[in-house]
Amino acid sequence: MSTEKSEDGTQPSKNALKKAAKEAEKAAKAAERKARQEAEAAAKAAAEVDDAADNYGKLPLNQSQTKTGEHRIQISSLNANAEGHHVLFRARLHTSRAQGSKMVFFAFRQRQHTIQGLLQLKEGHVSKQMLKWAAAITTESIVLVQGIVARPLEPVQSVTIKDSEIHIAKLFVISSVETRLPFTMDDASRPEEEYERSEKEGIQYNRVLLETRLNNRVLDLRTQTNQAIFTIEHGVCGLFRSYLDSQGFTEIHTPKLQGAATESGASVFKVQYFNGLAYLAQSPQLPKQMAIAADFERVYEIAPVFRAEDSNTHRHMTEFMGLDLEMAFEESYDEVVDLLDSLFLSIFEGLSSKYASEIALISKQFPAEPFTWRKKDQGGTLRLRFSDGIAMLKEAGAEVGDLDDLSTENEKWLGRLVKEKFHTDFYILDKFPMAIRPFYTMADPEDARYSNSYDFFMRGEEILSGAQRIHDASLLEAEMVKKGIEPASMKHYVDAFRLGCPPHGGGGIGLERVVMLFLKLNNIRRAALFPRDPKRLVP
Amino acid sequence: MSTEKSEDGTQPSKNALKKAAKEAEKAAKAAERKARQEAEAAAKAAAEVDDAADNYGKLPLNQSQTKTGEHRIQISSLNANAEGHHVLFRARLHTSRAQGSKMVFFAFRQRQHTIQGLLQLKEGHVSKQMLKWAAAITTESIVLVQGIVARPLEPVQSVTIKDSEIHIAKLFVISSVETRLPFTMDDASRPEEEYERSEKEGIQYNRVLLETRLNNRVLDLRTQTNQAIFTIEHGVCGLFRSYLDSQGFTEIHTPKLQGAATESGASVFKVQYFNGLAYLAQSPQLPKQMAIAADFERVYEIAPVFRAEDSNTHRHMTEFMGLDLEMAFEESYDEVVDLLDSLFLSIFEGLSSKYASEIALISKQFPAEPFTWRKKDQGGTLRLRFSDGIAMLKEAGAEVGDLDDLSTENEKWLGRLVKEKFHTDFYILDKFPMAIRPFYTMADPEDARYSNSYDFFMRGEEILSGAQRIHDASLLEAEMVKKGIEPASMKHYVDAFRLGCPPHGGGGIGLERVVMLFLKLNNIRRAALFPRDPKRLVP
């Protein structure tokens, strides 16, 4: 069949031929136009080849495949004297802002420190493509920055390092953010009062609630405030240990898995232990006393303690860090109180001198009157008898029984009264009523209604509880029976005292409470990396 | 009824009257004898009035009722220069031995130190009664000793302070032993080889088995060896922290209560958490990595870890202390290995220099070749590739697959081969096969059968396990799926990496293993204050 024939075998009409010719002409024109466009695009591309392609981009996944040995700096080491230095560093992209099409401003962050970076169009070095790419990097990505240190025209107010900035030569992404951030660092770092002020002024900031922060704790912890809070917490532990080390203490580690529900059965977590049960230690009370009976003389431990109490308050957690100590004494438990007192002064002084910049940084988000205490040359720490504390409360109008425990309210009230009268945020309440203390507490030798026991307070809240302990097995058993505890349930503990034990006392400090109250963070969860409470077991 | 009548109302017989008279006479004689004896005793007592009654006795229970402020010394501070000093101290009664009726020798103990005391009859000062009472004090009682320091005629071999002894003026018991001691300090302090030698020589010592020791751990811990072991353990923690503090690390505290069974579900303890379940952390692996994603850069933690493994071996416990660290690195996980290596050298050097006397003391009961390592000027720590380790084993005749995990036997064998060839008790095995490492391990960039992971060994036993971790969420999920773990079960952990995370690595060290192997104690329980294993939850 000839190609000239139409498909149905008929001859083509004149009109059909005309139409075909027109279409062919149209197609030819389109082809011509396309070829011209392509030629133009090629010409344009040739004119805009990215001569900075090696200076930016996402780096391949680090599997330790490359070792250049190039030195990378900490931005905190930079100052005006570093002007002109070539530097290389890894940092978070804190913020970025393009200015026109030729410049991008960055803030780079390393923990508590931020520095300004500047990326500027520069032929052969920084291309338009690089600028566009850099401006689009998600904040919180981890970047590798290479550049030259410059002195800014005027101090950079928006960052912590004000007298230096980086003129960026190369910029790479090491690890990028692969999700929508639930909040910005700026929003998470704003003090409460700023929300309130701005709302009055008609500005709407995103308030980041504590619950949201804790649900996204990894992001929340990155704020400069939080980096500083946990630096302080590190400081408290270090100061605690270094003071006790200087006083001849031995650090011990006591088991958290206990064979019996000790102290008070109600608030103990049960653990499935193979075919039986174990219990999580509520404190190292029993083993640390047993260490004294085992001749360790002075011991301390920093370890988690577990409380199965369904308390949903600003100052309770189901797991928190106990700073515990126990020591034999020679004559009187005053030796223990004196040591604990000196320990706290050493911690307060250490924090104030070594961590002044962290304290200042945190106070921007959590404004507070500085924590005050009476130094040794100001008469030393105030020691009140419990009965004197009750008298102060009564005088102020509180209805409280002489031998009643202090309610949280009265505790805070007494704190305010003490602050007014004695100008201190730190004091000791001694000689608590016997009936409200644990079974192992030694009674006062003169008045058996009271005991050789004490609490320490910061800003009106209890942060340490301690006492002289009973070191006589028979007396201990008698006290256990009085409190309804079966001595056989703590056989190993009681037996320790039958082997001879020196008089001793000690105390347990709540780490997160000390940090919360020293910094006035208002909620204990802010002082715990990943807090645990009756409603929270993640993250 | 008259009293003269017999009970049945009949008149008494002649015989009965005779019998009654005889008995009356007998009773009169007995009464006379008794009166005479009493008079004699009174006369004797008058002649022997105790003119030393104030110089000895049991002190009343210490309730902090008395404060004299008298200085009490540590016996370790005494030396020959103290001759003639009046001293007062509290100590354990370690041993006592009466010599005739006029002298008693004592050894007094304070932790690792013992000193000889001498009580001698002296009119007006030390009475016979005092000597008799003193000789009867149970060993392990706590006593208060007042006396004068004297220089012994020749060095006292049986105690640690050889150049001084105490001439006792007053001796009081502060706390007495109220039970039969299950073993003596001497028996508990004897090296194994002494038992064996003595048995050959026909002497029968009481061998104190580990089980007996652990059942009576408070008493066992009082041996000088154990006091030294736990001083070393304190030292390891202190050296660990001080090195890491110097390297910019932050101490963190991660929760032991976890919302999900992490890492490997099989060996996790379950906890009743209010109306739900929680799980005890097997390691701080997940939260410490999350701290890196949260910008902490370098973190460490000393905390208990829990393993619900029914392993009853010399080196497994259900609860032990983890010395964990994690750090971001710049280019390669070699930075992590280098830091860990330097950390260990710093610990070994610190122990050897600061605790030489404790190490020497322990080696008396646990004789061992001193622990050896290659110092920096000896080429530094040996780093073997896993594949080279396998090759050494094969060459020595072991049947082992290239990618198999090392059995405990082969691990020890390799340790012996390394010791022979490289003369070190400490080495690093790098590049473990990927298949035998946890899901979060980064693969080797050149050979995906291997990984960027390592173990550290002491005397042929693993004491650290670590790796470069996967810091990319997608890759992490893929690896989890490969190992049969549902990524959703660790949502918060995986999500942390979606927020951007630097390349990082770290390791976990078993504290008790380090102490056991450094000192060659042969059983990990000896390095735990109150060890926990599948069969032991007390004391």
Side-chain angles (χ1 to χ4, degrees):
Chain A
M1 199 194 321
S2 141
T3 53
E4 274 91 51
K5 275 195 170 173
S6 70
E7 278 177 20
D8 57 2
T10 59
Q11 291 295 321
S13 71
K14 257 193 174 176
N15 272 350
L17 283 171
K18 225 173 169 178
K19 197 176 163 194
K22 259 190 192 168
E23 274 167 12
E25 196 182 347
K26 225 163 122 184
K29 275 188 186 164
E32 191 195 316
R33 194 164 54 239
K34 197 182 165 203
R36 195 173 57 238
Q37 280 169 350
E38 277 171 4
E40 277 168 12
K44 198 174 169 190
E48 284 189 14
V49 73
D50 188 356
D51 50 11
D54 291 345
N55 295 343
Y56 69 97
K58 169 133 195 198
L59 295 176
L61 179 72
N62 181 313
Q63 287 187 269
S64 303
Q65 62 272 58
T66 313
K67 280 171 81 171
T68 67
E70 282 176 276
H71 179 63
R72 297 188 184 181
I73 63 146
Q74 290 294 305
I75 56 172
S76 58
S77 70
L78 294 180
N79 55 38
N81 295 332
E83 197 180 348
H85 289 193
H86 288 255
V87 292
L88 178 70
F89 61 89
R90 168 174 54 84
R92 289 270 172 205
L93 178 60
H94 187 57
T95 59
S96 70
R97 176 173 54 87
Q99 201 173 63
S101 63
K102 294 185 177 171
M103 205 187 281
V104 186
F105 285 95
F106 297 95
F108 297 115
R109 191 180 77 237
Q110 284 178 342
R111 304 203 66 194
Q112 296 164 38
H113 309 284
T114 48
I115 195 165
Q116 178 163 277
L118 200 58
L119 186 69
Q120 209 164 356
L121 191 68
K122 190 177 172 192
E123 203 173 321
H125 297 276
V126 177
S127 61
K128 275 187 182 171
Q129 293 93 324
M130 180 174 176
L131 275 167
K132 196 177 163 191
W133 175 86
I137 304 172
T138 324
T139 53
E140 292 304 300
S141 292
I142 295 177
V143 292
L144 184 64
V145 183
Q146 195 182 308
I148 295 173
V149 184
R151 195 188 291 248
L153 295 176
E154 53 191 54
V156 191
Q157 291 310 324
S158 57
V159 290
T160 64
I161 298 162
K162 299 184 188 307
D163 56 359
S164 296
E165 64 181 17
I166 307 294
H167 290 181
I168 302 165
K170 297 186 178 185
L171 185 63
F172 302 98
V173 167
I174 293 173
S175 174
S176 49
V177 172
E178 293 166 14
T179 182
R180 197 179 151 272
L181 297 179
F183 46 80
T184 67
M185 285 294 106
D186 279 347
D187 283 338
S189 306
R190 210 159 266 133
E192 278 298 300
E193 53 164 29
E194 201 175 306
Y195 288 119
E196 284 151 24
R197 200 179 51 230
S198 66
E199 269 167 28
K200 277 177 207 150
E201 292 169 1
I203 305 166
Q204 188 72 45
Y205 284 131
N206 284 319
R207 188 179 229 139
V208 190
L209 299 177
L210 183 57
E211 195 66 9
T212 310
R213 291 173 188 274
L214 297 181
N215 288 339
N216 299 279
R217 188 61 162 162
V218 167
L219 187 62
D220 182 47
L221 286 171
R222 291 183 192 163
T223 65
Q224 289 156 288
T225 308
N226 275 332
Q227 294 290 316
I229 288 173
F230 289 93
T231 301
I232 297 276
E233 196 147 291
H234 165 92
V236 173
C237 291
L239 291 161
F240 174 85
R241 283 187 296 252
S242 78
Y243 181 77
L244 296 179
D245 286 349
S246 79
Q247 300 298 308
F249 278 72
T250 302
E251 180 178 19
I252 58 170
H253 307 287
T254 67
K256 304 309 149 203
L257 291 167
Q258 294 288 349
T262 52
E263 300 185 61
S264 69
S267 54
V268 180
F269 287 115
K270 284 195 188 98
V271 181
Q272 262 187 41
Y273 198 76
F274 302 100
N275 295 322
L277 270 183
Y279 304 87
L280 286 181
Q282 284 176 292
S283 85
Q285 185 63 35
L286 311 193
K288 76 180 177 174
Q289 284 192 254
M290 289 160 83
I292 298 301
D295 283 356
F296 283 81
E297 282 286 315
R298 298 178 155 205
V299 295
Y300 69 81
E301 176 169 21
I302 296 186
V305 299
F306 304 93
R307 302 281 163 92
E309 286 160 17
D310 197 2
S311 300
N312 295 278
T313 78
H314 78 286
R315 63 174 186 174
H316 285 94
M317 295 193 290
T318 48
E319 177 177 353
F320 62 91
M321 293 305 298
L323 308 188
D324 265 89
L325 66 85
E326 199 71 21
M327 61 184 270
F329 62 76
E330 300 299 346
E331 294 196 296
S332 161
Y333 79 100
D334 285 348
E335 298 161 35
V336 185
V337 180
D338 285 344
L339 185 135
L340 287 168
D341 183 12
S342 298
L343 166 64
F344 272 99
L345 297 200
S346 154
I347 291 173
F348 298 153
E349 279 153 24
L351 289 181
S352 303
S353 62
K354 286 191 198 172
Y355 299 97
S357 66
E358 281 81 4
I359 294 168
L361 200 158
I362 295 162
S363 75
K364 284 188 193 167
Q365 186 167 356
F366 296 100
E369 279 182 47
F371 184 81
T372 57
W373 67 96
R374 301 207 312 193
K375 277 111 195 149
K376 293 235 158 127
D377 59 11
Q378 296 166 326
T381 304
L382 173 70
R383 293 190 198 185
L384 272 183
R385 279 181 166 252
F386 183 87
S387 53
D388 294 332
I390 295 292
M392 282 174 73
L393 279 170
K394 281 184 172 169
E395 203 187 295
E399 284 186 20
V400 54
D402 285 344
L403 301 176
D404 289 352
D405 206 352
L406 286 177
S407 65
T408 308
E409 254 174 66
N410 284 337
E411 198 179 289
K412 288 190 179 176
W413 192 350
L414 183 55
R416 287 193 299 274
L417 295 172
V418 163
K419 176 90 190 219
E420 275 165 31
K421 194 166 170 185
F422 301 99
H423 315 290
T424 177
D425 288 316
F426 175 62
Y427 77 101
I428 300 168
L429 206 57
D430 193 13
K431 297 279 176 202
F432 270 69
M434 187 68 174
I436 60 172
R437 303 298 273 196
F439 68 87
Y440 44 74
T441 308
M442 184 66 88
D444 180 290
E446 280 157 23
D447 185 344
R449 293 174 308 161
Y450 292 95
S451 67
N452 292 349
S453 71
Y454 40 81
D455 278 3
F456 285 33
F457 295 87
M458 285 173 67
R459 298 198 203 256
E461 296 192 47
E462 179 258 311
I463 43 102
L464 173 143
S465 204
Q468 177 179 353
R469 328 294 188 180
I470 296 173
H471 60 284
D472 177 271
S474 311
L475 179 58
L476 187 61
E477 285 180 319
E479 288 297 324
M480 290 172 91
V481 170
K482 260 193 217 170
K483 301 247 176 189
I485 299 164
E486 176 54 55
S489 71
M490 289 181 224
K491 184 179 173 348
H492 288 275
Y493 170 69
V494 178
D495 282 352
F497 303 106
R498 289 189 221 285
L499 295 165
C501 182
H504 63 285
I509 301 165
L511 171 62
E512 295 88 348
R513 282 201 186 177
V514 170
V515 172
M516 165 180 77
L517 292 162
F518 189 82
L519 299 169
K520 208 166 185 309
L521 302 180
N522 304 319
N523 194 304
I524 198 161
R525 291 160 185 80
R526 293 201 176 93
L529 204 63
F530 298 109
R532 293 292 182 257
D533 65 34
K535 299 192 169 71
R536 178 173 293 283
L537 272 171
V538 290
Chain B
M1 199 201 304
S2 142
T3 51
E4 275 93 50
K5 276 199 171 171
S6 68
E7 276 173 24
D8 57 2
T10 59
Q11 293 295 321
S13 70
K14 255 193 174 174
N15 273 349
L17 283 172
K18 224 173 171 179
K19 197 176 161 196
K22 261 193 188 163
E23 274 170 12
E25 195 181 345
K26 225 165 119 184
K29 274 189 186 162
E32 191 196 315
R33 195 165 54 240
K34 195 181 166 204
R36 194 174 59 240
Q37 280 170 348
E38 276 173 4
E40 276 169 13
K44 197 176 170 192
E48 286 191 14
V49 73
D50 188 356
D51 50 12
D54 291 346
N55 295 345
Y56 69 96
K58 168 133 195 195
L59 295 175
L61 178 73
N62 182 313
Q63 287 187 268
S64 303
Q65 61 273 59
T66 314
K67 279 171 80 169
T68 67
E70 282 177 276
H71 178 65
R72 298 187 183 180
I73 63 144
Q74 291 295 304
I75 57 172
S76 59
S77 69
L78 295 178
N79 55 38
N81 295 331
E83 195 180 353
H85 290 191
H86 289 256
V87 292
L88 178 69
F89 61 89
R90 167 173 56 83
R92 290 269 171 204
L93 179 59
H94 187 59
T95 59
S96 70
R97 174 173 55 86
Q99 198 171 65
S101 62
K102 293 186 177 169
M103 206 187 280
V104 187
F105 286 95
F106 298 95
F108 299 115
R109 191 181 76 238
Q110 285 178 341
R111 306 203 63 194
Q112 296 165 38
H113 310 284
T114 49
I115 195 165
Q116 179 163 274
L118 200 59
L119 186 69
Q120 207 164 359
L121 192 68
K122 190 177 173 192
E123 203 173 319
H125 297 275
V126 177
S127 62
K128 274 187 184 172
Q129 294 93 324
M130 182 173 174
L131 276 167
K132 195 177 163 191
W133 174 86
I137 305 172
T138 325
T139 53
E140 291 304 299
S141 293
I142 295 175
V143 292
L144 184 65
V145 183
Q146 195 181 306
I148 294 173
V149 183
R151 196 188 290 247
L153 296 177
E154 52 191 55
V156 191
Q157 290 311 325
S158 58
V159 290
T160 64
I161 298 162
K162 300 185 188 306
D163 55 0
S164 296
E165 64 181 17
I166 307 293
H167 290 179
I168 302 166
K170 297 186 177 185
L171 185 63
F172 301 98
V173 167
I174 293 173
S175 175
S176 50
V177 173
E178 294 166 14
T179 182
R180 196 179 153 272
L181 297 179
F183 47 80
T184 67
M185 285 295 105
D186 278 347
D187 282 338
S189 305
R190 210 159 266 133
E192 278 298 300
E193 52 165 28
E194 201 174 304
Y195 288 118
E196 283 151 25
R197 201 179 50 231
S198 66
E199 269 167 28
K200 279 178 207 152
E201 293 167 359
I203 305 165
Q204 187 73 45
Y205 283 131
N206 284 318
R207 187 180 229 139
V208 190
L209 298 177
L210 184 58
E211 194 66 10
T212 310
R213 292 173 188 274
L214 296 181
N215 288 339
N216 300 279
R217 187 63 163 160
V218 167
L219 187 63
D220 182 47
L221 285 171
R222 291 183 192 163
T223 65
Q224 290 157 285
T225 308
N226 275 332
Q227 294 289 317
I229 287 173
F230 289 94
T231 301
I232 297 276
E233 196 147 291
H234 165 92
V236 173
C237 291
L239 291 162
F240 174 84
R241 282 188 298 252
S242 77
Y243 181 77
L244 296 179
D245 286 349
S246 79
Q247 300 298 310
F249 278 72
T250 301
E251 180 178 18
I252 58 169
H253 308 287
T254 66
K256 304 308 150 204
L257 292 168
Q258 294 288 350
T262 52
E263 299 184 61
S264 69
S267 54
V268 180
F269 287 114
K270 284 197 187 96
V271 181
Q272 262 186 40
Y273 198 77
F274 303 100
N275 295 323
L277 270 185
Y279 304 86
L280 286 180
Q282 283 176 290
S283 86
Q285 185 62 36
L286 310 194
K288 77 180 177 173
Q289 285 192 255
M290 289 160 84
I292 299 300
D295 283 356
F296 282 82
E297 282 287 315
R298 298 178 156 207
V299 296
Y300 68 81
E301 176 169 21
I302 296 187
V305 299
F306 305 93
R307 303 279 164 92
E309 285 161 18
D310 197 3
S311 300
N312 296 277
T313 78
H314 78 286
R315 62 174 186 174
H316 285 94
M317 295 193 290
T318 48
E319 178 177 353
F320 62 91
M321 293 305 297
L323 308 187
D324 264 88
L325 67 86
E326 200 70 22
M327 61 184 271
F329 63 77
E330 300 299 345
E331 295 196 294
S332 161
Y333 79 101
D334 284 347
E335 298 161 34
V336 184
V337 180
D338 284 345
L339 185 135
L340 287 168
D341 183 13
S342 298
L343 166 64
F344 272 98
L345 297 200
S346 155
I347 291 173
F348 299 152
E349 278 153 24
L351 289 181
S352 304
S353 61
K354 287 191 196 170
Y355 299 97
S357 66
E358 281 81 4
I359 294 169
L361 200 158
I362 295 162
S363 74
K364 284 188 192 167
Q365 185 166 358
F366 296 100
E369 279 180 49
F371 184 80
T372 58
W373 66 94
R374 301 207 312 194
K375 277 109 194 151
K376 292 235 158 128
D377 58 10
Q378 296 166 326
T381 304
L382 173 70
R383 294 189 197 183
L384 271 184
R385 281 183 165 251
F386 184 87
S387 53
D388 293 333
I390 294 292
M392 282 174 73
L393 280 170
K394 282 183 172 170
E395 202 187 296
E399 282 186 23
V400 54
D402 285 344
L403 302 175
D404 288 352
D405 207 353
L406 286 177
S407 66
T408 308
E409 252 174 66
N410 284 336
E411 197 179 290
K412 288 189 179 176
W413 192 349
L414 184 55
R416 288 193 300 275
L417 295 173
V418 163
K419 176 93 190 217
E420 275 166 33
K421 192 166 172 187
F422 301 101
H423 315 291
T424 177
D425 288 316
F426 176 61
Y427 77 102
I428 300 168
L429 206 57
D430 193 13
K431 298 278 176 201
F432 270 68
M434 188 70 176
I436 59 172
R437 303 298 272 195
F439 67 87
Y440 45 73
T441 308
M442 184 66 88
D444 180 290
E446 280 157 24
D447 185 344
R449 292 174 308 160
Y450 292 94
S451 67
N452 291 348
S453 71
Y454 40 81
D455 278 5
F456 285 34
F457 296 85
M458 285 174 66
R459 298 197 202 256
E461 296 192 47
E462 180 259 311
I463 44 100
L464 173 144
S465 204
Q468 176 179 353
R469 328 295 187 180
I470 295 172
H471 60 284
D472 177 89
S474 312
L475 180 56
L476 187 61
E477 286 179 319
E479 289 297 326
M480 291 172 91
V481 170
K482 261 193 218 171
K483 300 246 176 191
I485 299 164
E486 175 54 53
S489 70
M490 290 181 221
K491 183 181 172 353
H492 288 276
Y493 170 68
V494 179
D495 282 353
F497 303 106
R498 288 190 220 287
L499 296 165
C501 182
H504 62 285
I509 301 165
L511 170 62
E512 296 88 350
R513 281 201 186 176
V514 170
V515 172
M516 165 180 77
L517 292 162
F518 189 81
L519 299 169
K520 210 166 183 313
L521 302 179
N522 303 319
N523 193 305
I524 198 159
R525 292 160 185 80
R526 294 200 175 95
L529 204 63
F530 297 109
R532 294 291 181 258
D533 64 33
K535 299 192 169 71
R536 179 174 292 282
L537 272 171
V538 291

